[in-house]
Amino acid sequence: GGGGGGGGGDGGGGLVGAVEELRRLHPSAPVVTASHFVPRVELSLEKRYLFLPTLAKAIGSEPLRARVEALRPDMHVFGHTHFGWDATLDGVRYVQAALSYPEERRGRLGTVATGDHFPHGGGDEPAPLLVWDGAAREFAPRYRAGWSAFYDANPRRPALTHLLAPYVA
């Protein structure tokens, strides 16, 4: 594939082939990919917990998931849902460091924040969230993020749709 997308499973050409060549030339270099949209439905809360249940229709993209799986990054940074997230699925670490809207920060900071400080860096102004420490040549330690921490302790139960969170009902 040409254009902006590059090839997915195209026999070594396109973006996947370019990443494989970079891995061959620089085997210890990290591979970090990014997207605005959420590549996997497991990277957001279940529909029954959403204040806006229609958001579930815009979460998870099979083509994007396939692209991430083909590229095999060490980390994928994503956005869109305004929920802080840091989780590893199938060997890929997925991070979302949402800045969100001011009313979201006031009303649900525990689900927006990624890490101990918000805005990131601990000051008054938003700062980028560290994902790769170039001086130490390693990824930042895993950040605590509200919903991904919830799913660390509680299994996903997407078939359970008849019980809603009190703030949704």
Side-chain angles (χ1 to χ4, degrees):
D10 55 4
L15 182 59
V16 173
V19 169
E20 289 304 320
E21 179 65 8
L22 285 171
R23 284 185 190 275
R24 188 184 69 73
L25 294 171
H26 308 282
S28 64
V31 174
V32 178
T33 56
S35 63
H36 174 80
F37 291 105
V38 183
R40 298 176 62 141
V41 70
E42 304 94 337
L43 298 171
S44 186
L45 49 156
E46 296 162 88
K47 183 177 180 180
R48 64 193 167 110
Y49 293 122
L50 290 170
F51 184 74
L52 181 64
T54 55
L55 181 62
K57 295 179 180 182
I59 297 171
S61 163
E62 286 304 316
L64 180 55
R65 180 181 180 155
R67 173 54 57 89
V68 172
E69 289 175 353
L71 292 171
R72 299 180 299 109
D74 299 294
M75 177 182 285
H76 184 82
V77 179
F78 66 98
H80 191 62
T81 63
H82 298 204
F83 294 110
W85 211 272
D86 192 342
T88 300
L89 300 171
D90 299 326
V92 177
R93 183 176 173 191
Y94 292 90
V95 175
Q96 178 175 201
L99 291 179
S100 69
Y101 295 111
E103 62 271 13
E104 291 173 313
R105 292 192 294 270
R106 284 190 298 274
R108 57 179 190 85
L109 184 58
T111 65
V112 170
T114 303
D116 295 332
H117 301 287
F118 191 89
H120 312 116
D124 291 333
E125 293 298 317
L129 185 76
L130 179 69
V131 295
W132 173 256
D133 185 335
R137 302 207 39 80
E138 64 186 14
F139 283 97
R142 184 167 179 210
Y143 293 102
R144 187 185 188 297
W147 280 106
S148 55
F150 173 83
Y151 285 115
D152 286 342
N154 301 283
R156 295 183 72 83
R157 296 172 27 188
L160 185 61
T161 58
H162 66 284
L163 295 174
L164 296 176
Y167 55 85
V168 175

